[in-house]
Amino acid sequence: MGGRFRPVYAFAREMHPRASNAPTLPYGTAGFRTKALHLEHVAYRMGLLAVLRSRVKNGATIGLMITASHNLEPDNGVKLIDPHGEMFDMSWEPLATKLANVSDTDLSSVVEEIVDMHNIDMRLKASVFIGMDTRYTSPVLCTAATNGVLAIQGTPTEYGIVTTPMLHFFVRCRNTSNEYGIPSEEGYYLKLVNAFKKLRGPNPTNSSYKPLLYLDGANGVGGKKMNVLKKKLDGLLDVSIFNMGGNGGKLNLNCGADFVKVQQKPPVGVPVELNQRVASLDGDADRIVYYYLDNSETFHLLDGDRIATLLAGYLMSLIKKCQLTDLKLGLVQTAYANGASTEYISDKLCVPVACVKTGVKYLHHEALKFDIGVYFEANGHGTIIYSDKAKASIKAASTDDGLNNDQRDAASKMLAMIDLTNETVGDALSDMFLVETVLQHNGWDVHQWMQAYEDLPCRQLKVSVEDRNVITTKDAERKCVKPDGLQEKIDSLVSKYPKGRAFVRPSGTEDIVRVYAESTTKEDTDRLAAEVACAVYELANGVGDAPTVPQ
């Protein structure tokens, strides 16, 4: 046991002990996430780690969010936020994992090890912002995290119930000395509303756009915060909010962005109105998808791919209009993005597309390579990042006497787009305002948005294997390296189908392999997915029942 940090061990043992049967938890893209009853000691220890990270960053504020995002209510989670509001540095993820899983007896030794490894000056001030979602277990975990911060003389600031993107925003604001905004709820609302009002003009002539939006709040925090925001919009957008958490509604249960995306059907609790534009948030409001039912009551999903193409197209038009063609606009996707969206972005919008491994942290880092980087996962998590060069160029163009009024106006619109964007992380409320801005500018209803391109039918399957590690991939998970012969077999199967595409990737948490397939018809897509699943089963030591191929 480390001598310098005995109080850390003693306090953990007495107040937030790690149970002997506690599961081993990895720190992943979503931080730690599991049943809430297993997380109290983890929250305490992440309070400790947040203080250490703050001191490594010379006292910069670190964020700690208690949330399980789109998971159901019995789950909860803990994740850390780095000084610019970005996700926790990947190089510190193994430290988080080790600290969360070590025994109480060895806790002080591990803290001491991290201090020595990074030569941390424990005399420095340390600041940690803490937020939580609406789960009934969140206050207990928030208290544990706060105790962890206090245990090694850090300064915690509790924000109570906030969306995850709001906490990211607060951290960025504090560490930029309020240049990015004011680190408070009111400061967050003020920045979004002011930018939205600057962009919101009269409807274009012959516009099909209607300012009425239905919002599915997933019975979480997003609906509650939107209820505050809508009162500040002066009627520019009429938002009817459903699933706000009352009347027995359970968080993310049969509602919310993940339910709508996965189940491909409307959520419970939202009235059925044909051709009505509906946006669904997830529980902590970092994801958003849209949907509508047409005249035949057929469900249509407008997911992260659709949002990304809508925003990228608008930004490209503004760039060309204000003659800032030296700025490099790019769009980042994963292999799960529909092939039709990639073709539309490349061929119709003429926007470069980059593909990265699954996980928001990979998309975010790739987007930083562009002057203006748009990234969205198909699940609706995404945002836009603007480089310092882009911001300076756009600001200069907005007052350039060498440009005409229309060109300067386009640059001014881009400045407002920057303020309307939460650059730190995917933010469902910010993204909603961005989408509504572009739809109104284009004069589009949901049908016109959907008609931009036609998705290819796609199918996902899972194959049980004895050991998921027998599957390794490269090229942003689009090519299989091992086992030998599997990629060649996939290539052969794909070649039989028009616009065929398929890839496999191992799960990060369980012994299954995920199969994704696309083709021009649903029948061909189902058959291709099943054939690839069979190939995985045969070559990766499958267990259980072998997949069957539709006839």
Side-chain angles (χ1 to χ4, degrees), residues 390-452:
K391 291 175 182 176
S393 297
I394 295 165
K395 186 174 182 180
S398 69
T399 58
D400 187 347
D401 291 336
L403 300 179
N404 62 38
N405 288 338
D406 286 345
Q407 292 166 335
R408 287 194 296 270
D409 181 64
S412 295
K413 280 184 167 65
M414 290 188 73
L415 287 178
M417 286 287 285
I418 292 171
D419 280 343
L420 191 55
T421 305
N422 188 342
E423 296 181 71
T424 64
V425 73
D427 182 338
L429 300 180
S430 164
D431 291 340
M432 182 201 74
F433 284 124
L434 289 169
V435 168
E436 295 300 317
T437 292
V438 180
L439 289 178
Q440 193 223 22
H441 173 271
N442 292 351
W444 284 1
D445 61 15
V446 281
H447 298 277
Q448 290 161 303
W449 184 10
M450 180 62 77
Q451 288 166 5

Side-chain angles (χ1 to χ4, degrees), residues 68 90-91 168 230 292 318 430 528:
M90 283 187 275
S91 68
H168 283 257
K230 66 178 287 188
Y292 69 97
L318 291 178
S430 164
L528 174 58

Side-chain angles (χ1 to χ4, degrees), residues 211-516:
L212 174 62
L213 172 69
Y214 282 8
L215 185 71
D216 163 26
N219 294 312
V221 60
K224 299 180 187 301
K225 301 307 181 185
M226 188 61 216
N227 199 38
V228 177
L229 263 171
K230 66 178 287 188
K231 298 170 186 175
K232 303 175 182 291
L233 297 176
D234 298 334
L236 292 174
L237 182 65
D238 183 8
V239 185
S240 294
I241 309 172
F242 305 93
N243 293 331
M244 290 183 62
N247 301 317
K250 296 291 187 181
L251 183 69
N252 295 317
L253 181 63
N254 298 323
C255 61
D258 193 60
F259 173 84
V260 172
K261 169 69 176 171
V262 173
Q263 299 297 325
Q264 298 278 304
K265 64 181 182 181
V268 171
V270 178
V272 174
E273 296 284 348
L274 301 184
N275 304 307
Q276 172 59 48
R277 190 171 72 257
V278 187
S280 282
L281 315 179
D282 69 337
D284 68 334
D286 66 356
R287 294 184 183 186
I288 184 171
V289 297
Y290 278 70
Y291 76 86
Y292 69 97
L293 298 174
D294 65 20
N295 287 329
S296 63
E297 298 191 23
T298 300
F299 174 88
H300 297 274
L301 178 70
L302 296 139
D303 61 6
D305 294 339
R306 296 277 178 180
I307 294 172
T309 55
L310 182 75
L311 301 183
Y314 179 65
L315 288 169
M316 180 59 83
S317 71
L318 291 178
I319 287 172
K320 290 178 178 177
K321 196 167 186 179
C322 59
Q323 298 185 344
L324 292 176
T325 51
D326 61 319
L327 295 181
K328 186 179 180 184
L329 169 67
L331 197 148
V332 187
Q333 298 181 317
T334 70
Y336 285 103
N338 195 278
S341 74
T342 308
E343 183 178 345
Y344 174 77
I345 296 160
S346 301
D347 297 348
K348 294 295 193 327
L349 300 181
C350 299
V351 172
V353 179
C355 186
V356 297
K357 289 172 61 176
T358 303
V360 176
K361 58 190 175 186
Y362 301 112
L363 285 99
H364 189 93
H365 286 297
E366 188 68 23
L368 290 169
K369 297 178 182 178
F370 296 98
D371 294 315
I372 302 175
V374 181
Y375 74 84
F376 273 83
E377 291 187 297
N379 62 28
H381 188 290
T383 190
I384 309 166
I385 304 174
Y386 298 85
S387 69
D388 290 340
K389 171 190 170 183
K391 291 175 182 176
S393 297
I394 295 165
K395 186 174 182 180
S398 69
T399 58
D400 187 347
D401 291 336
L403 300 179
N404 62 38
N405 288 338
D406 286 345
Q407 292 166 335
R408 287 194 296 270
D409 181 64
S412 295
K413 280 184 167 65
M414 290 188 73
L415 287 178
M417 286 287 285
I418 292 171
D419 280 343
L420 191 55
T421 305
N422 188 342
E423 296 181 71
T424 64
V425 73
D427 182 338
L429 300 180
S430 164
D431 291 340
M432 182 201 74
F433 284 124
L434 289 169
V435 168
E436 295 300 317
T437 292
V438 180
L439 289 178
Q440 193 223 22
H441 173 271
N442 292 351
W444 284 1
D445 61 15
V446 281
H447 298 277
Q448 290 161 303
W449 184 10
M450 180 62 77
Q451 288 166 5
Y453 63 86
E454 184 177 353
D455 279 326
L456 292 169
C458 62
R459 182 72 189 275
Q460 296 186 47
L461 296 175
K462 298 177 183 178
V463 181
S464 296
V465 292
E466 293 175 358
D467 178 9
R468 64 181 182 273
N469 295 313
V470 302
I471 299 282
T472 58
T473 63
K474 65 177 182 178
D475 188 23
E477 302 175 314
R478 292 177 292 186
K479 296 293 181 182
C480 187
V481 178
K482 290 183 179 179
D484 293 339
L486 180 53
Q487 185 58 50
E488 288 78 5
K489 179 65 174 177
I490 294 171
D491 291 342
S492 174
L493 293 170
V494 165
S495 68
K496 300 190 304 181
Y497 297 96
K499 293 194 174 182
R501 184 170 76 94
F503 65 90
V504 302
R505 56 180 289 268
S507 166
T509 57
E510 53 187 324
D511 284 325
I512 62 171
V513 176
R514 304 184 190 279
V515 175
Y516 179 92

